[in-house]
Amino acid sequence: MRSSWSSKLSLIFGYRIRHNWFLLCIVSIFALVILLRSSSSSTSGDFDSLASPRLHNVITNYRKLKEQAVVDYFDLRFLSSGSNPRQKELPLCGKERENYVPCYNVSANLLMGFKDEEEFDRHCELSRHEERCLVRAPKDYKIPLRWPAGRDVIWSGNVKITKDQFLSSGSMTKRMMLLEENQIAFHNDDGLIFDGVKDYSRQLAEMIGLGSDSDFPQVGVRTVLDIGCGFGSFGAHLVSLKVMPVCIAAYELTGGQAQLALERGLPAMIGNFISRQLPYPSLSFDMVHCAQCGIDWDGKDGMFIIEVDRVLKPGGYFVLTSPIIKPEGSLLAMKKGNMLTPVEDFTQRICWSLLDQQDETLIWQKTSDAQCYAARKKGIPLCQDEHENKPYYHPLVKCIAGANSKRWIPVHNRSNGDQLTPEELEVHGVLSADFYEDRENWNAALRNYWSLLTPLIFSDHPKRPGDEDPLPPYNMVRNVMDMNARYGGFNAALLEGKKSAWVMNVVPIGARNTLPLILNQGFAGVLHDWCEPFPTYPRTYDMLHANELLSHLSSEKCRMMDLFLEMDRILRPEGWVVLSDNVGAIEMARTHATQIRWEARVIDPQNGSDQRLLVCQKPFLRK
């Protein structure tokens, strides 16, 4: 009986969809006939003074009918897929899910048979059938301080870390102080170098052969993958040098390093490579940094080092700082005596050169010569194309990737300016005219966004009951995610407009993989499947932006409501969402936004197209 009803409903919905589009076709033909007649009468001189208003009314009515038909189509599509866009508001989750991160349930992973540390990996298939509810903020959560004050002082209630964990941390950047019971302060001031991060950065520069760490960009170091970022102090210092750090750290139930870095307004995400590759293409970063990151680099027969080699650009640097490395047993001394550690032996096999060792720090440089791999007698084989083109959580492989890529360009050979050369764009399969036209379009779009949002976001923050008067505004938006980044034009426009925000540029799986081009501009970015949760902690982004993402996902086998619930999870209270898409997708998005209690407003840019803006703000819900 149920299958019979299902068949009847499918027939009804199929008929209604065909009926709406049939109606749209008739209206289109009718409008076209009137337009042709109007045009003809205009050229023959019989077009009277009333024709122009009539023509305007016809065009306006035609657009309204067309837009309504598109809305009807989206409504029917979601109804036929089992979703009801007119549902009531969703409930709040229980207190136990205040810090909920999908895909990282260790106990569930163990029950499913994952072992050998794979239980700490990302397994999204186990969280697809959970209750739909809104993740609420903890009782003592407060809106983060504005940038740059929020870089150095955060609310301790916003991160899941206990006072004992804080005081007992063994991180290189542990020398911080609690100003008050509810705040954590970080010493980044020029006169207060308690944690030695600036000295450490200068030491790295000297080991590479530079006079100062401010010279990092001059040797091609513009992007750094920081594995296990501690309290984020090294990343904060790199930002001051105009170098883009991206922290990846394993999921932690309490005291998450990625959560702490994001709370400070620094780029970070949950990630590890226990058994799978990171969601970055080959040849992505200029430097990979590990300071006490907890990885056994001797393990898995060198697979972890091969993964670093995969994401490292030719001529890039691998920095390893570990307390187990002692000066008296230095690798340089052992190398002279022909006694090599497993790490040193393996790095030689993959054509890395040990540049220097000082105290507990070593720096290797990846070869710039792609022919080096084949010349090594005990070298690692090159990957086949299928391994190079699947960087989205693909299993770790023991082969060298990227050596045959057109993007094999040594870091010191790339242009140092902000403008990419036509030759660099051609490597990525992008025409120079298309790229810079996209840039200009985004510069104009951002000016429109800012004129719209500035009175809302960057004015003095509305006073809440019990709060003191707000400080003068600096920047209410620091952590931004572009959910469908394409060429990174939105990120470039923010920089062009001198906005003190950074962008996590997300390239959806199924779209054209433009992430190498985004990373080559010195931006942060990652590949992601929006049918799955994003690897981050709750409340870690101030603004989410997406252009034509909803249209892109309309053909995917995932529910739009799940996407909006995930957006709500990663957006901080009072954070903002800006969606740009066709009228049908935007109307459906507004329905979902209402269900998850966002304040939503549709804006017509009035440029003659069916594009619409949906601007939403997430309220501060406690119960």
Side-chain angles (χ1 to χ4, degrees), residues 138-377:
K139 182 180 178 181
D140 51 354
Y141 181 86
K142 294 179 179 290
I143 300 299
L145 300 176
R146 303 177 185 188
W147 182 268
R151 175 195 58 199
D152 303 328
V153 179
I154 67 172
W155 302 110
S156 56
N158 289 9
V159 293
K160 195 173 182 182
I161 182 171
T162 66
K163 188 174 181 180
D164 290 340
Q165 288 172 325
F166 174 78
L167 294 175
S168 63
S169 172
S171 169
M172 178 182 66
T173 58
K174 68 181 180 181
R175 296 182 183 179
M176 298 181 293
M177 62 177 290
L178 284 171
L179 294 179
E180 298 176 3
E181 281 297 316
N182 62 349
Q183 285 186 337
I184 302 174
F186 302 83
H187 295 287
N188 289 319
D189 190 70
D190 289 338
L192 298 171
I193 312 176
F194 289 99
D195 54 17
V197 168
K198 294 184 179 181
D199 290 335
Y200 173 72
S201 180
R202 282 194 288 268
Q203 177 187 354
L204 299 185
E206 292 171 1
M207 294 172 70
I208 291 175
L210 303 175
S212 168
D213 55 0
S214 61
D215 295 332
F216 277 141
Q218 295 183 17
V219 293
V221 177
R222 295 186 294 175
T223 56
V224 175
L225 182 65
D226 192 9
I227 304 174
C229 43
F231 290 143
S233 294
F234 183 59
H237 180 63
L238 290 177
V239 168
S240 70
L241 300 175
K242 301 191 183 307
V243 174
M244 173 59 71
V246 178
C247 159
I248 60 163
Y251 169 71
E252 300 168 80
L253 190 60
T254 59
Q257 297 178 59
Q259 183 188 35
L260 203 61
L262 285 160
E263 191 66 25
R264 298 185 64 183
L266 303 169
M269 57 179 285
I270 299 172
N272 56 39
F273 41 93
I274 294 171
S275 62
R276 304 180 191 178
Q277 295 177 348
L278 296 171
Y280 311 116
S282 58
L283 315 179
S284 291
F285 295 95
D286 307 318
M287 177 183 285
V288 176
H289 175 262
C290 162
Q292 303 179 30
C293 61
I295 293 177
D296 179 15
W297 295 105
D298 291 342
K300 288 211 173 183
D301 196 23
M303 296 279 273
F304 300 145
I305 297 178
I306 287 178
E307 176 62 3
V308 171
D309 182 87
R310 184 184 73 83
V311 300
L312 200 58
K313 291 180 180 178
Y317 304 92
F318 176 55
V319 179
L320 174 61
T321 297
S322 173
I324 64 172
I325 301 171
K326 303 298 181 184
E328 58 268 22
S330 73
L331 295 183
L332 289 174
M334 296 173 72
K335 185 175 180 180
K336 292 177 181 177
N338 293 321
M339 296 185 303
L340 301 179
T341 66
V343 171
E344 176 63 9
D345 178 60
F346 200 84
T347 55
Q348 283 195 1
R349 293 169 62 191
I350 60 173
C351 297
W352 287 8
S353 301
L354 181 61
L355 293 184
D356 197 5
Q357 175 180 357
Q358 292 185 21
D359 302 325
E360 300 175 345
T361 300
L362 300 99
I363 299 184
W364 285 272
Q365 185 173 27
K366 177 177 175 175
T367 182
S368 298
D369 180 10
Q371 305 302 319
C372 177
Y373 299 107
R376 296 289 166 105
K377 292 182 179 180

Side-chain angles (χ1 to χ4, degrees), residues 261-503:
L262 285 160
E263 191 66 25
R264 298 185 64 183
L266 303 169
M269 57 179 285
I270 299 172
N272 56 39
F273 41 93
I274 294 171
S275 62
R276 304 180 191 178
Q277 295 177 348
L278 296 171
Y280 311 116
S282 58
L283 315 179
S284 291
F285 295 95
D286 307 318
M287 177 183 285
V288 176
H289 175 262
C290 162
Q292 303 179 30
C293 61
I295 293 177
D296 179 15
W297 295 105
D298 291 342
K300 288 211 173 183
D301 196 23
M303 296 279 273
F304 300 145
I305 297 178
I306 287 178
E307 176 62 3
V308 171
D309 182 87
R310 184 184 73 83
V311 300
L312 200 58
K313 291 180 180 178
Y317 304 92
F318 176 55
V319 179
L320 174 61
T321 297
S322 173
I324 64 172
I325 301 171
K326 303 298 181 184
E328 58 268 22
S330 73
L331 295 183
L332 289 174
M334 296 173 72
K335 185 175 180 180
K336 292 177 181 177
N338 293 321
M339 296 185 303
L340 301 179
T341 66
V343 171
E344 176 63 9
D345 178 60
F346 200 84
T347 55
Q348 283 195 1
R349 293 169 62 191
I350 60 173
C351 297
W352 287 8
S353 301
L354 181 61
L355 293 184
D356 197 5
Q357 175 180 357
Q358 292 185 21
D359 302 325
E360 300 175 345
T361 300
L362 300 99
I363 299 184
W364 285 272
Q365 185 173 27
K366 177 177 175 175
T367 182
S368 298
D369 180 10
Q371 305 302 319
C372 177
Y373 299 107
R376 296 289 166 105
K377 292 182 179 180
K378 296 192 298 181
I380 309 300
L382 301 182
C383 293
Q384 300 299 317
D385 290 342
E386 62 266 21
H387 293 308
E388 293 192 30
N389 297 328
K390 295 181 179 179
Y392 186 68
Y393 298 112
H394 190 277
L396 291 173
V397 291
K398 194 172 182 179
C399 58
I400 299 297
N404 295 322
S405 171
K406 293 181 180 179
R407 296 184 292 104
W408 183 276
I409 303 174
V411 294
H412 53 272
N413 286 356
R414 297 200 319 270
S415 59
N416 292 325
D418 296 332
Q419 298 290 321
L420 295 178
T421 65
E423 291 76 18
E424 289 174 318
L425 291 170
E426 185 179 356
V427 165
H428 296 279
V430 177
L431 295 177
S432 181
D434 292 344
F435 179 80
Y436 287 109
E437 180 182 3
D438 182 75
R439 279 251 177 131
E440 287 302 316
N441 290 339
W442 275 114
N443 286 337
L446 186 67
R447 286 193 291 269
N448 293 335
Y449 285 0
W450 242 240
S451 63
L452 170 70
L453 298 175
T454 294
L456 304 174
I457 298 178
F458 298 97
S459 61
D460 282 343
H461 201 281
K463 184 178 179 181
R464 302 178 198 86
D467 284 0
E468 296 180 359
D469 289 335
L471 297 173
Y474 292 97
N475 196 344
M476 287 300 296
V477 174
R478 172 64 184 170
N479 298 357
V480 177
M481 178 184 289
D482 191 353
M483 301 172 67
N484 188 20
R486 201 174 179 235
Y487 297 155
F490 183 64
N491 192 156
L494 285 169
L495 291 177
E496 181 77 17
K498 302 189 184 303
K499 313 300 181 187
S500 55
W502 67 272
V503 180

Side-chain angles (χ1 to χ4, degrees), residues 17-238:
I17 291 172
R18 289 193 297 271
H19 175 75
N20 275 276
W21 283 109
F22 181 69
L23 175 62
L24 178 59
C25 291
I26 293 175
V27 172
S28 300
I29 294 170
F30 176 71
L32 183 60
V33 170
I34 292 178
L35 288 173
L36 290 173
R37 286 181 177 177
S38 300
S39 177
S40 175
S41 61
S42 175
T43 55
S44 62
D46 296 332
F47 195 63
D48 60 17
S49 61
L50 297 177
S52 181
R54 287 174 182 169
L55 178 59
H56 174 76
N57 290 335
V58 168
I59 294 174
T60 301
N61 292 333
Y62 164 68
R63 282 186 59 195
K64 288 181 178 179
L65 285 170
K66 177 185 172 184
E67 291 170 1
Q68 186 58 47
V70 174
V71 173
D72 289 344
Y73 169 73
F74 271 82
D75 279 340
L76 291 169
R77 183 186 177 279
F78 276 82
L79 283 167
S80 62
S81 67
S83 300
N84 183 0
R86 309 300 180 191
Q87 290 174 351
K88 62 181 180 180
E89 291 181 345
L90 294 180
L92 296 179
C93 302
K95 182 178 175 61
E96 72 281 357
R97 294 182 71 175
E98 289 176 350
N99 293 283
Y100 173 61
V101 179
C103 307
Y104 291 94
N105 189 328
V106 177
S107 57
N109 294 343
L110 288 170
L111 289 174
M112 291 298 295
F114 293 106
K115 56 184 180 179
D116 298 330
E117 294 189 329
E118 286 191 32
E119 65 271 19
F120 301 105
D121 256 338
R122 171 182 169 89
H123 299 285
C124 293
E125 63 275 11
L126 302 181
S127 54
R128 286 178 178 165
H129 304 291
E130 296 180 339
E131 174 192 8
R132 283 182 172 179
C133 56
L134 305 176
V135 175
R136 73 176 81 193
K139 182 180 178 181
D140 51 354
Y141 181 86
K142 294 179 179 290
I143 300 299
L145 300 176
R146 303 177 185 188
W147 182 268
R151 175 195 58 199
D152 303 328
V153 179
I154 67 172
W155 302 110
S156 56
N158 289 9
V159 293
K160 195 173 182 182
I161 182 171
T162 66
K163 188 174 181 180
D164 290 340
Q165 288 172 325
F166 174 78
L167 294 175
S168 63
S169 172
S171 169
M172 178 182 66
T173 58
K174 68 181 180 181
R175 296 182 183 179
M176 298 181 293
M177 62 177 290
L178 284 171
L179 294 179
E180 298 176 3
E181 281 297 316
N182 62 349
Q183 285 186 337
I184 302 174
F186 302 83
H187 295 287
N188 289 319
D189 190 70
D190 289 338
L192 298 171
I193 312 176
F194 289 99
D195 54 17
V197 168
K198 294 184 179 181
D199 290 335
Y200 173 72
S201 180
R202 282 194 288 268
Q203 177 187 354
L204 299 185
E206 292 171 1
M207 294 172 70
I208 291 175
L210 303 175
S212 168
D213 55 0
S214 61
D215 295 332
F216 277 141
Q218 295 183 17
V219 293
V221 177
R222 295 186 294 175
T223 56
V224 175
L225 182 65
D226 192 9
I227 304 174
C229 43
F231 290 143
S233 294
F234 183 59
H237 180 63
L238 290 177

